[in-house]
Amino acid sequence: MNILITSGGRRSYLVDYFREALAGEGLVLVSNNSIVSTAYHCADRAFILPQAFEEDYIPALLALCKEQKVDALLTLFDVELGILAKHRAAFDAIGVTLLVSSERCVNICNDKWQTHLHLKEQGFETIASFLSVDAALEALQAGRIHYPLIVKPRFGMGSMAVYIAENEEELRIFCQKTKRSVEHSFLHYESRIDESQSVLIQEMIEGQEYGLDVINNLQGMYQNTIVKKKLAMRSGETDLAETLDHADLRALGERLSKSMQHIGNLDVDVFAKNDKYYVLEMNARFGGGYPFSHVAGANVPLALVQWLKGEQPDPAVFQARPHVLAQKSIGITVIPQNEERCM
């Protein structure tokens, strides 16, 4: 069984996790649009492909899958999730299983405004959100929200172009800065749905932040929720965290699973304040917080491999020991100057 991880970036640990899960019965391949990728350099085979939003990307990816006898494919890039979901039939036709959720699920997760609307509609606690300065100012004047406010891309990831506004002047300036950042980056691809409303304004909640790994099988059926208490962040990703046995948040994860019907892992950010749990964002993929679940005993890559083989995983692979405290380390990978591994 060969598994391809596209847009691998710096997530070299996922290459290692899937290689261990395959146990010598297949290869882990990585594709990227540049050799400047640690995942690229630790894969069994690695390939350079166009950027995901370029017209020739899907034909090139399909050709690579056929050439390398790929059995299953997953991506770590939010933009690519939607593109792959739209072309699922083309991959089915060549026998490649996309470990990618439905277009509906991906669109709800990638579009932070749709995330907000969906959560409200489904009865989850969520954070006050607005698509315009005027709407936010109206809520401020009515006393429904208060500064500080978060300004960020409607279709965003990590901490890219995210600002904290303490007053109206900063709110207007930061909205313009975020809009320009969207226009001049890959975030522009998804924002084309409505370029006039590419910025999201949200009330800032100060409380304890948690990360959830909500695990479903390949049919979108709930398996478990792993809860992590976030203790430090770096560049928009969890840097230090502790796994917890938290019944309320596990129950929240199960509700989200039934609402989203995603495939595999759903990465969820939650804030706790005044005995309420506010869902901030969801990512329909492995998130930067997954390694904390893995080192505590969970093994979602192994579960995915076993499902692909038609096997039923041991329930233990969905469990993480509580009170495992872990921190990401800083490593370095040498990038060869004369790269001969690319396609």
Side-chain angles (χ1 to χ4, degrees), residues 9 33 38 251:
N33 68 345
T38 55

Short mmCIF file of all heavy atoms in Angstrom, two decimals, residues 9 33 38 251:
data_model
loop_
_atom_site.label_atom_id
_atom_site.label_comp_id
_atom_site.label_asym_id
_atom_site.label_seq_id
_atom_site.Cartn_x
_atom_site.Cartn_y
_atom_site.Cartn_z
N GLY A 9 4.98 20.08 3.44
CA GLY A 9 5.55 21.16 4.25
C GLY A 9 6.52 20.67 5.30
O GLY A 9 7.42 19.88 5.02
N ASN A 33 5.39 21.75 -3.79
CA ASN A 33 5.70 22.62 -4.94
C ASN A 33 7.11 23.17 -4.85
O ASN A 33 7.51 23.99 -5.66
CB ASN A 33 4.68 23.76 -5.04
CG ASN A 33 4.79 24.75 -3.90
OD1 ASN A 33 5.43 24.47 -2.89
ND2 ASN A 33 4.17 25.91 -4.04
N THR A 38 10.65 19.83 4.86
CA THR A 38 11.27 18.74 5.61
C THR A 38 10.54 17.42 5.35
O THR A 38 11.19 16.36 5.29
CB THR A 38 11.25 19.04 7.12
OG1 THR A 38 9.91 19.32 7.54
CG2 THR A 38 12.13 20.24 7.45
N ALA A 251 -17.77 15.06 24.89
CA ALA A 251 -19.16 15.11 24.43
C ALA A 251 -19.34 16.16 23.34
O ALA A 251 -20.09 15.95 22.37
CB ALA A 251 -20.09 15.39 25.61
#
